[in-house]
Amino acid sequence: MNLPTMRVLITCPLPGIAGDRLAASGVDVIQLGDSTVDDASERGLLADVDGIVCTLTDRIDARVLDAAPRLSAIATVSVGRDHIDTETAARREIDVVTTPGALDDATADLAVLLLLSSCRRSTEAEADLRAGRWHGWGVDQYLGLDLMDATLGVVGWGRIGRAVGRRAEAFGMHVLHHSRRPTGEQGFVADLDDLLVLSDAVSLHVPATPETHHLIDARRLDLLGPSAVLVNTARGSIVDEAALAEALHARRLFAAGIDVFEHEPEVHPRLLSAPGVTILPHIGSATIRTRSRMAEMAVDGLLASLGVAVPSPADSRHADRNTLQERDRP
Ligand code: DGY
């Protein structure tokens, strides 16, 4: 008996060889193109879809899931799954595939970049230089904070948090960490407030959940204090963005390095104009190799979950490369 061909909707172009692997697997691929997953659900395009490959900008809520009665797996090209209604998915026995591990190093590197730019005021210094406001070296210009011997508090001691900790140690920092459960490791601080008081810089590495919403609020920003730095490469909702902007404007915080925002792609206007802030457009995992790995992991996980044989990579040099190729050029 011939089994019906599986149909998979993909909401974005897939980097690297992931798209080729999906095509080679023999599933029917529907490209969403310019419309949103919400539009697609309203237009009935999800009615006979077995799998969805999406990204963190696609809101896969109960309404979308209701419009896809055949759906049995969702793969997101992200480690975060807060854009997916996982409770409804679990009730419907829909697998949710993410990309753990694939982006640890790239995200940890970016956290260190933000830590350095915040401590060394490089964003402000570069802006002055570009605007013609720099008139020569000065002994008291752009004085920042040393990483050597400073204490970094890592909130969330998962793979990315640990990767940031290792990097910080290489800069001579003392590393403390906090997580919900005791880690049994040196540097564990049970109380988040204590960690904030003890830290010169704090880097956030917890997922977005109802429990972590505004985990860093005005009160906790004050615990950090005027010579401290906050780095967020995790999710915008973990920090009260308005409170952060006010703390920076009032110089109650030295600086912040922020890659994620509460209402992406919008950024709180007070944060845009705040002194001492480096803001980036959610590029934590944006390296050629990392994004290729993430897309491949999502596609392979989806196919495995659908019970479709995963084709072996046609060209393994292609599968794990770190150089720009013709297909990656904008
Ligand atoms: C993720 O995978 O959740 C990241 O935020 C993407 O950079």
Side-chain angles (χ1 to χ4, degrees):
M1 190 182 70
N2 275 346
L3 292 172
T5 308
M6 296 278 183
R7 304 203 90 191
V8 172
L9 176 93
I10 61 175
T11 67
C12 64
L14 296 172
I17 61 163
D20 301 345
R21 282 163 78 65
L22 195 57
S25 72
V27 300
D28 255 358
V29 178
I30 312 165
Q31 294 265 4
L32 193 53
D34 284 341
S35 66
T36 64
V37 104
D38 228 18
D39 286 344
S41 69
E42 270 168 29
R43 283 163 43 214
L45 291 183
L46 305 186
D48 56 358
V49 152
D50 303 284
I52 295 178
V53 181
C54 65
T55 73
L56 56 87
T57 61
D58 300 303
R59 193 131 297 283
I60 312 286
D61 56 17
R63 221 157 62 98
V64 169
L65 295 174
D66 279 352
R70 247 171 68 172
L71 191 67
S72 65
I74 304 164
T76 176
V77 186
S78 65
V79 71
R81 54 172 73 204
D82 45 294
H83 52 296
I84 300 172
D85 179 348
T86 48
E87 264 178 41
T88 305
R91 217 174 308 119
R92 289 257 316 271
E93 298 186 356
I94 298 169
D95 279 348
V96 176
V97 174
T98 62
T99 63
L103 64 166
D104 299 353
D105 289 322
T107 308
D109 288 349
L110 197 89
V112 172
L113 182 154
L114 290 171
L115 178 65
L116 282 165
S117 66
S118 301
C119 287
R120 298 302 302 274
R121 302 174 57 182
S122 63
T123 300
E124 172 194 348
E126 185 179 352
D128 282 354
L129 179 68
R130 286 180 186 276
R133 289 188 295 263
W134 183 60
H135 305 294
W137 189 88
V139 74
D140 57 353
Q141 275 175 3
Y142 306 115
L143 303 186
L145 307 171
D146 281 317
L147 266 58
M148 178 62 76
D149 289 332
T151 298
L152 175 71
V154 178
V155 180
W157 199 232
R159 287 178 316 269
I160 301 176
R162 285 164 205 259
V164 171
R166 285 193 297 276
R167 284 157 172 76
E169 276 170 357
F171 281 94
M173 297 188 87
H174 308 290
V175 178
L176 302 175
H177 64 273
H178 166 81
S179 70
R180 272 183 310 167
R181 276 182 285 279
T183 60
E185 289 176 46
Q186 201 188 340
F188 173 70
V189 179
D191 190 306
L192 175 57
D193 287 2
D194 290 344
L195 180 99
L196 300 177
V197 170
L198 291 168
S199 300
D200 301 302
V202 164
S203 192
L204 304 175
H205 301 287
V206 289
T209 63
E211 294 74 43
T212 61
H213 185 262
H214 286 190
L215 186 70
I216 304 298
D217 56 9
R219 184 187 69 80
R220 286 195 161 131
L221 286 166
D222 281 344
L223 293 179
L224 273 167
S227 57
V229 158
L230 178 72
V231 170
N232 188 8
T233 54
R235 280 292 181 271
S237 62
I238 298 163
V239 177
D240 179 340
E241 218 165 76
L244 172 63
E246 288 322 311
L248 288 163
H249 277 284
R251 307 281 181 175
R252 283 185 279 111
L253 190 68
F254 186 78
I258 306 293
D259 183 47
V260 286
F261 304 92
E262 273 196 88
H263 306 289
E264 293 181 12
E266 266 125 62
V267 180
H268 195 292
R270 291 283 286 162
L271 192 58
L272 279 173
S273 64
V277 70
T278 299
I279 41 177
L280 295 175
H282 202 150
I283 59 167
S285 63
T287 72
I288 295 162
R289 180 165 59 193
T290 297
R291 285 283 165 83
S292 304
R293 279 182 183 166
M294 288 167 73
E296 258 185 90
M297 219 170 147
V299 162
D300 286 2
L302 183 93
L303 293 175
S305 165
L306 294 178
V308 175
V310 178
S312 56
D315 179 349
S316 57
R317 281 168 307 144
H318 220 63
D320 204 24
R321 69 210 159 72
N322 196 21
T323 51
L324 194 65
Q325 302 206 348
E326 211 39 60
R327 61 198 303 161
D328 305 312
R329 289 187 200 283

